[in-house]
Amino acid sequence: MGFVKASPQNQLRLLELADLDAELVRLARRRQGLPEVAELARLEARASELKDAIVQTETELSDLSREQSRAERDVEQVRTRIDKDRARLDAGQVSAARELASLQSEIESLHRRQGDLEEIVLELMERWETLVSRRDELAAERESLGSQMEALAAQRDAAFAEIDEQGAKASGQRGEVGADVPADLLKLYDQIRTTRGVGAAMLRVGRCEGCHLSLNTVDLNEIRAAAPDEVFRCEECRRILVRTAESGL
Ligand SMILES: [Zn+2]
């Protein structure tokens, strides 16, 4: 880039641009760093955990429901068998002593089996109740999380709208100021801004306001002796150094 020259007036405009650019950077940081954004991300992560946990609980419930039906069927089968054996016994169909003893022993063993199976059914019912209350707790948390997130999103959107309004204002002003700055000077400014964040700084009382470095006497003397349309840059931070009445020259 060749040597850019610009009138003091145009150089002063760069300070306005730098202020507006700093404002835009500040607004972008505020937008990114909004506490509502971080909090929403945290709640979204929790909501997703809850969703998975609810799905898992529903799956367990449906497995359990099948297990319950099976256990109830088993109990029913044993009961039917006992009834049948009893009926044979009551009808006096069995008279031989050995057959009778065997039938009675079968009924006894079926009763034990029935008792065991009924215990299993009870156990399954307990597990079912535990799971249902867990699912209800999860669902309640998800519901309250949902309304929390809604309120938070509304807060975030209001903050975004405010920031964006200020941003649009600053961008508009930047456009107006930039339109008055000669193209080569604006190009230089924007190049520095892209790498440095801010493209220009005021020289105030012998110091660069961008990096706060005090210029040495040799450099100050050079600036003092230079024509007003020369464009200087800070040796330290490379920003365009703009002379004002406060420069202490
Ligand atoms: Zn500097």
Side-chain angles (χ1 to χ4, degrees):
M1 170 146 260
F3 288 109
V4 173
K5 295 204 181 224
S7 70
Q9 230 178 351
N10 282 330
Q11 291 194 39
L12 280 172
R13 287 238 157 80
L14 296 185
L15 291 181
E16 284 176 61
L17 274 189
D19 279 348
L20 290 166
D21 283 333
E23 166 81 353
L24 286 169
V25 167
R26 194 183 63 80
L27 288 171
R29 283 206 188 116
R30 216 181 109 204
R31 203 180 200 284
Q32 274 185 333
L34 273 184
E36 286 91 346
V37 172
E39 181 63 3
L40 260 177
R42 195 183 69 77
L43 294 186
E44 266 159 25
R46 178 66 188 145
S48 146
E49 271 174 19
L50 283 173
K51 192 179 158 224
D52 290 348
I54 288 172
V55 168
Q56 204 200 326
T57 312
E58 298 280 8
T59 310
E60 280 174 42
L61 276 171
S62 114
D63 290 348
L64 200 56
S65 165
R66 266 195 301 277
E67 232 179 296
Q68 269 175 326
S69 307
R70 202 157 45 228
E72 275 157 16
R73 255 194 331 266
D74 288 349
V75 171
E76 200 43 50
Q77 263 176 9
V78 173
R79 242 182 238 143
T80 311
R81 181 90 180 268
I82 291 172
D83 289 348
K84 233 162 104 186
D85 284 355
R86 269 260 152 70
R88 278 179 72 203
L89 209 61
D90 292 347
Q93 285 171 347
V94 181
S95 49
R98 251 174 79 186
E99 218 181 319
L100 201 64
S102 145
L103 193 58
Q104 272 165 344
S105 132
E106 186 183 288
I107 290 173
E108 266 168 45
S109 117
L110 283 169
H111 269 303
R112 274 196 301 278
R113 172 100 182 108
Q114 186 185 5
D116 289 349
L117 285 170
E118 276 167 353
E119 223 165 277
I120 289 172
V121 169
L122 271 177
E123 214 176 277
L124 290 173
M125 261 160 77
E126 273 166 29
R127 271 172 63 195
W128 172 268
E129 275 159 22
T130 309
L131 270 176
V132 165
S133 74
R134 175 165 163 68
R135 185 206 47 203
D136 291 350
E137 271 170 34
L138 292 169
E141 190 186 342
R142 186 165 69 166
E143 208 180 304
S144 100
L145 203 65
S147 35
Q148 249 178 297
M149 282 166 72
E150 244 171 68
L152 210 56
Q155 273 179 43
R156 178 205 54 193
D157 291 344
F160 275 172
E162 195 203 315
I163 291 169
D164 292 345
E165 199 192 316
Q166 290 175 33
K169 217 171 115 191
S171 291
Q173 283 176 330
R174 195 198 185 276
E176 282 171 31
V177 176
D180 287 341
V181 177
D184 55 349
L185 184 63
L186 188 63
K187 193 175 164 198
L188 176 64
Y189 169 88
D190 277 332
Q191 270 176 354
I192 301 168
R193 184 180 59 89
T194 312
T195 52
R196 301 266 152 190
V198 181
M202 189 196 290
L203 175 64
R204 178 182 271 153
V205 206
R207 223 162 73 127
C208 166
E209 284 285 282
C211 64
H212 302 294
L213 182 90
S214 287
L215 275 69
N216 63 43
T217 319
V218 177
D219 288 343
L220 277 176
N221 281 338
E222 194 193 329
I223 295 175
R224 225 171 250 138
D229 66 347
E230 282 224 41
V231 174
F232 284 96
R233 293 180 60 181
C234 173
E235 290 297 330
E236 182 66 21
C237 67
R238 304 303 295 146
R239 293 182 177 107
I240 295 170
L241 214 45
V242 179
R243 283 158 285 174
T244 73
E246 297 170 56
S247 292
L249 294 169

